Amino acid sequence: MSSVKFKAIFITLIASITLAWTFMTPFGEVADEPGYAIYANVVASGQEFGTVVVPSYIANSLSAHCISNTLSAKCQSNLPKDFSNAKKVKITEELIYNNGGPEPYFWVVGQPSRVFSGFLAFYLMRLFAWILGMMLMALMIIFWPILHRASLVFATLLVLTPMVGSFFGAINPNGFEMVSGFALAGLLSALMLKSSSEDYSLRDSAPHLGAIFIAMMALSVAKPYSFLFTLLISFSFLITFGVVSLNKKWSSTSTRTTGYNRPVFLWLAGSLVLSVLVGYESNVNYMRTVARRGTPEAIMSLLDSTRVILRS
């Protein structure tokens, strides 16, 4: 089987499974999803901290509690029947899951809630979340060396557990963080596998390095402090890659410690620094919110926020 055919089939298989999971999971059955849906609408509509205005169907979606093995999709019938986008509800910052976390993910995922309403809006938001995650998965698979496809299949099956599958296409940045981390680790591993058998120049490996940069940026802005995972994964790789490069035999007559490894190493280091800085900057609002509300636990308490909203 050719490399292109294998990768196309593998991407299609993963896409089909995760997309089915996305649409077969009842809304509200993924942890924190109703609260994150509110936050996504707030971010997508460009509202600042303080009193915000959201569609009533999103504000009232917190009444959907489907997180139980004993409940079926019928639990969605608990949602309010008013799915109009016209009716708006004002709620204060303290009553919303508005924790100031990085906004890029929520800005993209929240766009359907500005145009549509009801279950259509919720599931389109899930679809947007699925697309973000699937794009990263596809990049990782595309750049994986075909000679090591068995390890790719094994690693993917190991990672795509039921928990990851349920979060993959949910309105929840945890899923995006998981997929981004896996994609980054996979892309970096693929680069090392290729470097062990091929002599690439910076120009030859530019598309692969570009994909690594995208994965670094995605993980850095996925959740509060997720840039630390970017730092951990990438720094571990850079150390390993540097050691391997220093001991790599580039020809039968000489061993070079420059050439492939130096420009690629510098590119990766520069990409890491930039993505971590962007990730840190995206956490500024979160840090301010922590300072204003007291502790991280206070702003991350979705349960408390839910109770107050339902009482208001």
Side-chain angles (χ1 to χ4, degrees), residues 49-71:
F49 285 96
T51 300
V52 295
V53 179
V54 299
S56 60
Y57 77 91
I58 292 183
N60 295 326
S61 66
L62 288 163
S63 60
H65 298 286
C66 302
I67 307 175
S68 173
N69 294 331
T70 61
L71 295 176

Side-chain angles (χ1 to χ4, degrees), residues 1 3-21 130 134-135 137-139 141-142 152 156 160 168:
M1 184 183 296
S3 172
V4 174
K5 186 176 181 180
F6 167 77
K7 292 180 178 180
I9 292 175
F10 196 51
I11 291 174
T12 302
L13 178 63
I14 294 176
S16 301
I17 294 173
T18 53
L19 188 61
W21 219 317
W130 174 84
M134 198 60 226
M135 287 173 62
M137 286 291 293
L139 281 176
I141 295 171
I142 288 171
L152 170 64
T156 304
L160 287 180
F168 196 106

Side-chain angles (χ1 to χ4, degrees), residues 5 16 38 85 141 147 160 175 179-180 202 216 221 229 271:
K5 186 176 181 180
S16 301
I38 295 177
N85 234 336
I141 295 171
L147 293 177
L160 287 180
V179 176
S180 299
L202 182 60
M216 283 182 177
V221 301
F229 288 111
S271 298

Side-chain angles (χ1 to χ4, degrees), residues 125-305:
M125 290 168 76
R126 279 188 173 186
L127 179 62
F128 275 43
W130 174 84
I131 291 173
L132 289 176
M134 198 60 226
M135 287 173 62
L136 291 171
M137 286 291 293
L139 281 176
M140 189 268 291
I141 295 171
I142 288 171
F143 288 102
W144 192 269
I146 191 62
L147 293 177
H148 301 276
R149 58 186 175 187
S151 57
L152 170 64
V153 174
F154 178 75
T156 304
L157 292 176
L158 212 63
V159 170
L160 287 180
T161 61
M163 183 185 74
V164 175
S166 62
F167 276 96
F168 196 106
I171 309 170
N172 191 313
N174 289 289
F176 186 58
E177 182 184 43
M178 295 172 191
V179 176
S180 299
F182 178 54
L184 176 58
L187 285 164
L188 290 171
S189 299
L191 183 64
M192 181 171 290
L193 289 172
K194 288 181 178 180
S195 70
S196 65
S197 59
E198 302 176 38
D199 189 2
Y200 278 3
S201 66
L202 182 60
R203 178 179 298 178
D204 293 331
S205 54
H208 193 155
L209 294 174
I212 291 174
F213 176 70
I214 292 173
M216 283 182 177
M217 293 292 291
L219 180 57
S220 294
V221 301
K223 281 190 64 183
Y225 300 126
S226 61
F227 64 89
L228 295 177
F229 288 111
T230 304
L231 185 63
L232 177 63
I233 295 172
S234 303
F235 189 68
S236 300
F237 170 82
L238 286 173
I239 293 177
T240 306
F241 183 67
V243 172
V244 171
S245 296
L246 288 172
N247 293 282
K248 179 182 176 183
K249 191 172 184 178
W250 291 82
S251 68
S252 59
T253 58
S254 66
T255 300
R256 298 191 304 176
T257 58
T258 59
Y260 175 91
N261 63 302
R262 175 172 291 180
V264 172
F265 187 91
L266 291 177
W267 172 276
L268 291 173
S271 298
L272 174 59
V273 171
L274 180 58
S275 61
V276 169
L277 288 175
V278 171
Y280 179 84
E281 179 63 25
S282 70
N283 277 265
V284 170
N285 283 337
Y286 175 79
M287 297 173 186
R288 290 173 179 169
T289 308
V290 170
R292 184 165 59 252
R293 296 193 186 179
T295 64
E297 291 75 17
I299 74 168
M300 295 299 287
S301 178
L302 177 64
L303 180 59
D304 292 342
S305 297

Side-chain angles (χ1 to χ4, degrees), residues 35 38 62 93-98 293 298-312:
I38 295 177
L62 288 163
E93 177 192 346
E94 287 74 16
L95 307 184
I96 191 174
Y97 201 37
N98 193 353
R293 296 193 186 179
I299 74 168
M300 295 299 287
S301 178
L302 177 64
L303 180 59
D304 292 342
S305 297
T306 301
R307 288 172 178 170
V308 177
I309 290 175
L310 293 178
R311 288 200 302 264
S312 61

